[in-house]
Amino acid sequence: MNTFGNNYRLTTFGESHGTAIGGIIDGCPAGIEADTAFIQSELNRRRPGQSALTTSRNEPDTVEFLSGLYEGRTTGTPIAFLVRNRDQHSKDYDAMRNLYRPSHADYTYQMKYGIRDPRGGGRSSARTTIAQCVGGAVAKLALQPEGITVRAYTSQVGRIRLDGTYRDYDLTLTETNAVRCPDARKAAEMEALIRRVKEQGDTVGGVITGVITGVPVGLGEPVFGKLHAALGAAMLGINAVKGFDYGDGFDAPLYLGSEHNDTFCNDHGRIATRTNYSGGIQGGISNGEDIYFRVAFKAVATLLREQQTVDRDGRETIINAKGRHDPCVLPRAVPLVEAMAAMTMLDYLLLMKSR
């Protein structure tokens, strides 16, 4: 399945070492200002080689729009785009052509399709998420006139984590450091950890927190199209994601019902809640409060050290991975979490408007 969404739809194509990554956006409203500089800036946030914390693969990741835009605005027709691959080192994978890399998709792709592209993981590579970032950037532009804002930040790397909630931080500081954490002291600790892990040929995971503000009441389609379920599906479709929760999530069992209920109040004529343990969603429908959620990422599976594995014939052997890889996916995954959330919100907003 290579299409995401129902009303706002993104179909993607391409492989890590192929000619290009691209996509077609269908269902985008007409007349949206197509700020191509903003779209490119979103791609720049996820591009490789942007800091010492990321892979050294040097890709410009310049987006080319082929259709669907005219005089700086969307036309309501399909928006086709390409991002060409420029810096492939496919020979790095020659020795791994017949080996299964631990915790990658090599084995499952081979068993399912009977063939796979071993160069950088082919279609299963996180490089293909370029297309999601373009789709998400266009969705952000469509959400702007509606007053809906999507932000994300790194809230944990390894065992180093931020205290409190998103309300305790100035999220405008997220882009002031390479790890994309709004707390400068914690960011320095996270960066130091990533550097140490990288020197050891190892990798480390963490958590990204997402925050959506300006959401109207009523987004979500119970019982099987609940808004939080859609956000969860979007996040779990991202490479290396192992978990998702929203509101107080897995902390909810710590509270009694009398402690956990979000009681209603009249906030200057607007019905609101005094607390927001629900994370802005009740009964699968947005209630007008901020939506906040967490996305857990595992450590990157490619280690620059020897590991045990098997070859295609089942013979046990040793793999010594080559190539250029991130020691921690978190810094470059922040814009991707935002992109998937933005596309989900626009998809559900368009559905509500169609009623």
Side-chain angles (χ1 to χ4, degrees), residues 5-302:
N6 295 292
N7 298 278
Y8 180 84
R9 297 180 299 281
L10 171 68
T11 300
T12 73
F13 61 86
E15 297 83 31
S16 177
H17 288 215
T19 302
I21 306 294
I24 298 176
I25 300 167
D26 203 4
C28 183
I32 301 298
E33 182 180 357
D35 185 344
T36 54
F38 169 76
I39 296 170
Q40 185 61 55
S41 72
E42 292 292 274
L43 277 179
N44 293 345
R45 293 172 67 208
R46 77 147 304 280
R47 69 176 289 271
Q50 61 183 265
S51 77
L53 303 182
T54 68
T55 171
S56 59
R57 181 170 176 172
N58 186 21
E59 294 280 3
D61 285 354
T62 303
V63 62
E64 305 172 34
F65 286 99
L66 309 179
S67 67
L69 307 181
Y70 180 68
E71 294 186 341
R73 294 190 177 275
T74 59
T75 62
T77 58
I79 301 171
F81 61 88
L82 280 176
V83 176
R84 299 183 187 276
N85 292 322
R86 303 290 188 186
D87 191 31
Q88 307 98 310
H89 287 183
S90 297
K91 290 183 178 179
D92 288 343
Y93 297 88
D94 285 350
M96 295 181 280
R97 180 179 298 273
N98 295 313
L99 302 180
Y100 296 133
R101 295 173 298 167
S103 289
H104 282 75
D106 299 347
Y107 173 72
T108 50
Y109 265 60
Q110 186 69 44
M111 292 300 101
K112 182 175 179 64
Y113 299 110
I115 188 172
R116 67 183 174 92
D117 182 349
R119 303 167 303 165
R123 182 64 178 161
S124 67
S125 170
R127 179 150 179 79
T128 63
T129 61
I130 289 170
Q132 286 95 301
C133 279
V134 175
V138 174
K140 281 185 176 183
L141 292 172
L143 291 173
Q144 279 182 3
E146 307 292 338
I148 300 174
T149 302
V150 181
R151 295 186 179 92
Y153 61 93
T154 299
S155 54
Q156 181 175 342
V157 173
R159 297 180 181 179
I160 302 171
R161 61 186 299 177
L162 296 183
D163 298 319
T165 73
Y166 71 96
R167 292 183 179 276
D168 300 314
Y169 300 93
D170 180 356
L171 300 190
T172 64
L173 299 177
T174 299
E175 297 293 320
T176 60
N177 55 75
V179 78
R180 293 195 164 89
C181 172
D183 182 296
R185 183 178 63 83
K186 289 287 188 180
E189 294 179 21
M190 292 173 179
E191 289 185 29
L193 173 60
I194 295 171
R195 290 176 187 273
R196 288 197 303 272
V197 165
K198 182 180 181 180
E199 290 172 358
Q200 297 164 2
D202 215 331
T203 60
V204 65
V207 175
I208 290 175
T209 296
V211 183
I212 310 172
T213 59
V215 182
V217 179
L219 301 188
E221 300 296 320
V223 291
F224 298 117
K226 295 179 179 179
L227 184 57
H228 61 271
L231 284 168
M235 299 307 146
L236 291 166
I238 298 173
N239 304 55
V241 169
K242 303 297 284 185
F244 168 86
D245 72 0
Y246 73 103
D248 60 352
F250 285 98
D251 293 330
L254 303 176
Y255 300 92
L256 298 174
S258 57
E259 300 170 314
H260 188 260
N261 281 353
D262 293 320
T263 57
F264 288 103
C265 64
N266 189 314
D267 182 14
H268 301 92
R270 181 181 77 90
I271 295 178
T273 58
R274 291 185 172 88
T275 55
N276 190 19
Y277 295 119
S278 300
I281 303 171
Q282 293 172 327
I285 304 170
S286 61
N287 65 3
E289 303 296 324
D290 294 350
I291 295 173
Y292 62 98
F293 56 89
R294 297 182 299 177
V295 187
F297 287 79
K298 71 172 184 175
V300 175
T302 299

